[in-house]
Amino acid sequence: MHTNRFTRIGFILAAAGSAVGLGNIWKFPYITGENGGGVFVLIYLATVVFIGMSVFIGEVLLGSNAHKDAVSTFETLSPKKYKYWKYSGFTFLTGVLILSFYAVVVGWIFHYVVVAATALPSSVQEAENHFMNLLQKDIGTQIFYYTLAFFVIAYTISRGVKKGIETLNNILMPTLIVILAILLIYSVQLEGFSKALSFMFSPDFDKFDSSSLILAVGHAFFTLSLGMVTIVTYAASLDKGVNIVKASITIVIMDTLIAIVSGLIIFSILFSAGQEPGKGAGLVFITLPAVFFEMGSMGIFLAVAFFTALAFAAVTSAVSVLEPTVMYLVERKKMKRKKATYSVALIFYVVGLFALLSNTTEFSSFLTFGSKNVFDWFDFISAAILMPLGGILVAIFVGYIMDKEVSRKALVPHIGENLYQVWLFIMRFVAPLAIFLVMLNEMGVIQF
Ligand code: TRP
């Protein structure tokens, strides 16, 4: 019996903790807002069920079969003449790149928990000034909260799978769910709720176009934390004998429900205040704080609850980004966990500082290369290139390279032969093609 492994419920909460993040509470509502609501939600649900879930099961399958770090997982499961497939395991580096700007955003959110409690901006204009000032001028505040974020993340990972990751998720995830439930109950009785419902669930097919489809596939991947061996690594610490299909379905459902509930909460509040949905990335940091202010003391309570939920969601995701690299160093390079964690964290703390500074007026000109600053480059390189690449590698590895008996033995007892064939078909053809199109689109090679 391995002492540093997840229990079944610990794994479900931790993987859901990874999946549920800024993607659910921040990004999903605003891209839904920009892409016509109902149609986008419908396409997104379809891509999550058909493509996202299949690849998710594929990643859990890899990890839970090998019980090793990601590189060793690919190495163990590849046939002799394909041993070079172990290099796919190095896609954990994508995660570390993501961490360096994700932690910057976690820092903003920590700051907004304090803003919510002490000084909500009194108008949208003021809210915008506050946000822009934080990003462009207030380097001290940003670095303070960024450092705090990195410390929380590194401390958790340094304590290991059980004492660190499982404990953190066992506390934060249920709390997150309770907070969202309270916010949902509050939203249901707002006058904007019915408008939010119809905005999110009545599809208007005139707004359907191929770019929403591509966006939905990309987001299905991002929100499920696929393509950077995070899920592979978490599943490697899963005890034997767990029904991996059931666990995967539970996690995917939790992730999807939380995205939809967040959308309903945010749109109900916005519509009740007479605001429009298509506000882009500033929705959460600009429009919402101003709307909360309008609500008086109730608004302060809601704002603190909301940003706390967002902080919890983001921290549990950020933690999961670091674990694959640390597990690799511990298992393959025989480093002590503490040393591995703090060395990697320190390096990426410094790298992330460049991302942080690249948004500031003072340093932006040094830290802008071509059309983007460092922050946007990290985002672009990871989301548009490395993450899809990692997803394709997993799909091809599971679909073509790995011995079919491994996947058959793990899945057929749970889903039967027919569904297994459907799953295999998705891994071999649908997923690689869909992800490839996302990649070309995001890179601007083709425009849908
Ligand atoms: N799934 C996370 C979210 O929805 C973001 C994310 C993408 C992520 N890839 C990841 C988190 C890898 C951890 C590890 O916000």
Side-chain angles (χ1 to χ4, degrees), residues 110-126:
F110 282 2
H111 170 70
Y112 268 81
V113 175
V114 179
V115 169
T118 56
L120 281 171
S122 61
S123 65
V124 173
Q125 188 54 52
E126 200 188 304

Side-chain angles (χ1 to χ4, degrees), residues 236-403:
S237 295
L238 179 58
D239 253 336
K240 286 210 162 57
V242 173
N243 179 337
I244 59 168
V245 177
K246 235 173 153 179
S248 302
I249 293 175
T250 312
I251 295 158
V252 173
I253 290 178
M254 274 172 80
D255 183 76
T256 310
L257 272 183
I258 290 183
I260 288 180
V261 165
S262 307
L264 283 176
I265 293 169
I266 291 175
F267 292 129
S268 303
I269 294 176
L270 280 188
F271 289 146
S272 302
Q275 299 278 351
E276 287 308 308
K279 282 272 167 54
L283 191 62
V284 159
F285 291 111
I286 297 172
T287 321
L288 268 187
V291 171
F292 284 133
F293 175 84
E294 294 285 311
M295 297 172 149
S297 48
M298 185 64 187
I300 297 181
F301 169 76
L302 295 173
V304 173
F306 178 80
F307 283 107
T308 305
L310 193 57
F312 286 5
V315 166
T316 50
S317 296
V319 161
S320 76
V321 194
L322 187 55
E323 174 64 10
T325 311
V326 170
M327 186 168 179
Y328 168 80
L329 292 175
V330 170
E331 297 221 330
R332 301 260 313 199
K333 302 288 165 203
K334 304 292 171 226
M335 272 170 92
K336 286 260 177 300
R337 181 171 268 271
K338 270 209 176 64
K339 187 171 165 213
T341 308
Y342 286 109
S343 342
V344 179
L346 189 66
I347 295 171
F348 281 87
Y349 174 80
V350 175
V351 176
L353 275 182
F354 289 100
L356 186 156
L357 292 174
S358 74
N359 284 324
T360 63
T361 325
E362 202 172 338
F363 296 99
S364 72
S365 53
F366 300 115
L367 296 168
T368 299
F369 303 95
S371 57
K372 293 178 178 45
N373 66 17
V374 173
F375 187 98
D376 293 335
W377 271 117
F378 283 4
D379 184 10
F380 174 78
I381 295 172
S382 48
I385 303 173
L386 298 175
M387 217 170 10
L389 195 68
I392 292 180
L393 288 176
V394 166
I396 292 181
F397 184 77
V398 173
Y400 296 94
I401 309 293
M402 188 176 80
D403 184 359

